[in-house]
Amino acid sequence: MKKLFPLFFALFFFSFSAQVKNEFQLSSHILDITIGQPVAQVTVQLEKLDETTKQWIFVSKMQTDNNGRIANFLPYSKDLKNNFGKYKLIFLTEEYFKNKKTESFYPFIEVVFQIKDEKHYHVPITLSPFGYSTYRGS
């Protein structure tokens, strides 16, 4: 029985930690695929579509960290349906390429997506001076 105690403890701890949600429902990151590195200090703006007026409403603006990430864009709310809707991330990439003395075709990149449930959404981009790609990450 003593040998099983650590196993039971580990299973209990794992099951408890698996139930803890992230504090934030939305995250993002940028990877420069021309150098295979994350992109730090890029401003990214989050907006939400007002379905009634069809206008984009500012939610927040943040900068990517040294790992090219923003982990805390959209806090979970008590009523998660408040977070449901159509969103736009605007990646302001122009300064990044200017600082690298690299010509770029895209001064900014807009990625529109929708949040339909209480799951965590990760919306990253891979970036190069003349192209980008995005996907629903985890």
Side-chain angles (χ1 to χ4, degrees), residues 99-129:
N99 291 338
K100 287 183 61 173
K101 296 179 178 32
T102 301
E103 184 182 343
S104 173
F105 186 66
Y106 301 102
F108 61 90
I109 297 165
E110 295 183 337
V111 178
V112 179
F113 59 96
Q114 45 189 338
I115 293 179
K116 295 182 173 183
D117 55 36
E118 68 283 346
K119 295 177 184 171
H120 179 82
Y121 286 74
H122 184 66
V123 183
I125 62 170
T126 56
L127 177 65
S128 73

Side-chain angles (χ1 to χ4, degrees), residues 71-135:
N72 54 349
F73 247 131
L74 189 62
Y76 277 104
S77 68
K78 291 184 183 195
D79 182 7
L80 285 174
K81 291 186 180 187
N82 288 337
N83 284 357
F84 292 5
K86 295 177 183 151
Y87 288 88
K88 174 169 47 175
L89 285 171
I90 305 167
F91 298 85
L92 304 174
T93 57
E94 186 172 32
E95 286 301 313
Y96 169 71
F97 286 113
K98 278 185 183 177
N99 291 338
K100 287 183 61 173
K101 296 179 178 32
T102 301
E103 184 182 343
S104 173
F105 186 66
Y106 301 102
F108 61 90
I109 297 165
E110 295 183 337
V111 178
V112 179
F113 59 96
Q114 45 189 338
I115 293 179
K116 295 182 173 183
D117 55 36
E118 68 283 346
K119 295 177 184 171
H120 179 82
Y121 286 74
H122 184 66
V123 183
I125 62 170
T126 56
L127 177 65
S128 73
F130 296 97
Y132 67 92
S133 180
T134 185
Y135 56 95

Side-chain angles (χ1 to χ4, degrees), residues 2-22:
K2 287 183 182 181
K3 291 180 181 180
L4 293 177
F5 180 72
L7 179 62
F8 287 124
F9 179 75
L11 286 173
F12 174 77
F13 178 76
F14 177 74
S15 66
F16 176 74
S17 64
Q19 294 174 2
V20 176
K21 277 188 177 177
N22 289 337

Side-chain angles (χ1 to χ4, degrees), residues 52-69:
T52 305
T53 66
K54 303 300 183 199
Q55 297 291 314
W56 289 101
I57 308 300
F58 174 85
V59 175
S60 66
K61 184 187 285 189
M62 305 183 90
Q63 281 197 328
T64 55
D65 64 15
N66 288 337
N67 290 320
R69 296 183 176 276

